[in-house]
Amino acid sequence: MQPIRLIRGFLSVGAWTLASRVVGFVRDMMIAAYLGSGPVAQAYIVAFTLPNMFRRFFAEGAFNTAFVPMFAKRLEDNDNPRGFAEEAFSGLAFTVFIVSIIATLCMPWLVLAMAAGFAGDERYDLAVLYGWICFPYIFFISLTALLSGLLNAGGRFAAAAAAPVLMNFILIIAMVLADRFGWDMGLAMAWSTPISGIAQLATVWWAAKRMGFPLRLRRPRLSPDMRRLLAVAAPAVLAGGVVQVNLLVGRQVGSFFDGAISWLTNADRLYQLPLGVVGIAIGIVLLPDISRRLKAEDTVGGRHAYNRATEFALFLTVPAAVALVVAAYPLISVLFKRGAYLESDVGPTAVALAIYGIGLPAFVLQKVLQPLYFAREDTRKPFHFAVWSMVVNAVLAIGLSPLIGFSAAAWGTTIAGWTMAWQLWRGTRAFGEAATFDDRLRHRLPRIIAASAVMGLVLWGVMELLGDALMEPGTRYLALAALVAAGMAAYGAAAIGLGAIRPADLKAGLRRQR
């Protein structure tokens, strides 16, 4: 087999994801500046969440979970991979088209299901209108997700990872034009959403054509391959439903506190940066690699890939989590406090960010552990684990909200994330040697934690030294840059000094793949 170069793949996907998230931050800062945490912002967030929720439910979450390992194994054996891909492409298109029609007809009820607290005020009517405009996005982005899975299985990560950058650029351009020409800002953002879906689909379809897979829509049929695909995908659909229930619970809790949906969303965006750059990148690269190694009966290589992915994930994620907790307030203040986003919004958003930061390593570990199940076409166990995490999330978010307010939604998400990660790790013992830690990982993990603790102390000390410079408009950007630089330097020095990493490791990962 021709194995995927893991570290190079992680860095390629991570770099494009970082670019997407940075542009996404610019988009979110512009939304905050133009709209603050007011009704238009909250209505658009809910409307935009609807197609994305269904996308994760059908395409990225369920369909691709089944499609990628099956396609990767066919690609490894050269067993008519294009025919299989076209059948899946057509079946997904038909399914999502039907879902889109039903959802459009049921939009008023879907908005209430997402944010019951909107009932009776202007946010509800705006969210329904924006939802009708935004929802066709699901059709284009679902097909984009499948084509991205196809590209990833072939070891071609750039186009799929770059496509989301287009969405953010299009939304930014829409806001700039709306501000320049006096258009309705909410409508401009809503209409730009399906347009961005078309642009992303065109990008990945062209990349798939260059790979030798110019997929065409066929008449959907329930072939034996599709029956197998559906049998594997069905538990993943249910698991995706559980994940969306968790998100729904958080939105519902937030909708009963004025401004909370914007606070939670902006905090979510910030912790999603390391999650996307590290966790999602690793999941994207690791799943096809382990799938192909299983087909080739390469247990040693599969174990090596799993351990290096875990090491890489924790090396980047643990310090990021510490930074989000320690420096939550200055991060939110510098990135979001401007225009209509006031000082009164900064504190609650920082609280949510610190809570999400505690859960960041768990969210990333899920992305590392899930491919061990999905590569074996086992989607049932992750579904059962997801159900338990849903129960934990719902009990905490709803039960604690009368006591601690909107932050109960963030605590529910974080504790449910750790619950899910622990269950996934415990379940991997059934996979034997392929899912065990090697000596290198066991040696370096405590050193990564120690180096992160050193970095946290340095961040706290620098924040004390900088003081008001982090809050003053004229100095806050430079002060935040100094804080970030100090943290990175401290972590790098501590990691090398304590033996958490060797510079030669990264060079070796880029040069070759075991």
Side-chain angles (χ1 to χ4, degrees), residues 150 175 245 252 325 387 405 421 432 483:
L150 180 150
M175 284 187 280
V245 168
Q252 287 285 18
V325 173
V387 170
L483 180 65

Side-chain angles (χ1 to χ4, degrees), residues 94-385:
F94 176 76
T95 301
V96 175
F97 181 72
I98 297 300
V99 169
S100 298
I101 293 175
I102 296 171
T104 300
L105 296 174
C106 298
M107 189 59 63
W109 295 276
L110 286 175
V111 169
L112 287 177
M114 288 288 294
F118 283 10
D121 65 42
E122 63 178 316
R123 295 177 297 174
Y124 174 73
D125 292 332
L126 287 171
V128 171
L129 174 60
Y130 297 160
W132 279 328
I133 298 170
C134 288
F135 207 85
Y137 175 74
I138 187 182
F139 180 82
F140 305 111
I141 201 61
S142 294
L143 298 182
T144 298
L146 184 137
L147 288 169
S148 297
L150 180 150
L151 291 167
N152 295 335
R156 303 192 180 194
F157 303 107
V165 178
L166 281 175
M167 178 194 72
N168 291 320
F169 269 125
I170 290 171
L171 287 171
I172 288 171
I173 291 170
M175 284 187 280
V176 171
L177 292 176
D179 182 60
R180 173 69 177 81
F181 294 105
W183 300 341
D184 184 285
M185 187 66 68
L187 287 175
M189 292 191 299
W191 281 111
S192 67
T193 301
I195 293 172
S196 71
I198 295 171
Q200 291 179 83
L201 177 59
T203 299
V204 295
W205 187 89
W206 183 257
K209 180 181 178 182
R210 294 186 62 186
M211 180 178 158
F213 291 85
L215 302 189
R216 302 286 192 274
L217 289 173
R218 303 178 176 184
R219 179 180 177 181
R221 65 189 188 93
L222 199 60
S223 66
D225 285 337
M226 290 302 100
R227 288 192 183 95
R228 175 60 183 161
L229 181 64
L230 291 174
V232 175
V237 170
L238 297 174
V242 169
V243 172
Q244 300 315 313
V245 168
N246 285 341
L247 294 173
L248 178 60
V249 168
R251 297 283 182 192
Q252 287 285 18
V253 169
S255 72
F256 288 95
F257 298 89
D258 189 32
I261 285 183
S262 292
W263 301 335
L264 291 166
T265 298
N266 288 330
D268 177 86
R269 291 284 186 264
L270 196 51
Y271 97 84
Q272 286 282 343
L273 176 60
L275 176 58
V277 172
V278 182
I280 294 174
I282 286 174
I284 285 172
V285 177
L286 192 59
L287 177 55
D289 184 70
I290 290 183
S291 299
R292 295 175 72 176
R293 289 185 184 279
L294 281 172
K295 187 67 177 179
E297 299 182 352
D298 182 10
T299 302
V300 174
R303 183 191 183 206
H304 177 83
Y306 163 62
N307 275 271
R308 299 293 72 76
T310 304
E311 180 184 337
F312 184 82
L314 293 176
F315 179 77
L316 296 178
T317 302
V318 175
V322 171
L324 292 180
V325 173
V326 174
Y329 195 93
L331 284 169
I332 294 298
S333 179
V334 174
L335 293 174
F336 288 103
K337 195 184 82 171
R338 63 181 49 79
Y341 209 78
L342 307 175
E343 178 67 30
S344 59
D345 295 312
V346 173
T349 309
V351 170
L353 176 61
I355 296 169
Y356 285 140
I358 295 170
L360 179 61
F363 304 137
V364 173
L365 284 173
Q366 289 178 34
K367 302 297 182 182
V368 177
L369 292 164
Q370 285 172 338
L372 297 177
Y373 294 86
F374 298 154
R376 292 165 171 81
E377 299 177 17
D378 179 2
T379 52
R380 294 183 181 275
K381 289 189 182 70
F383 164 63
H384 294 148
F385 302 153

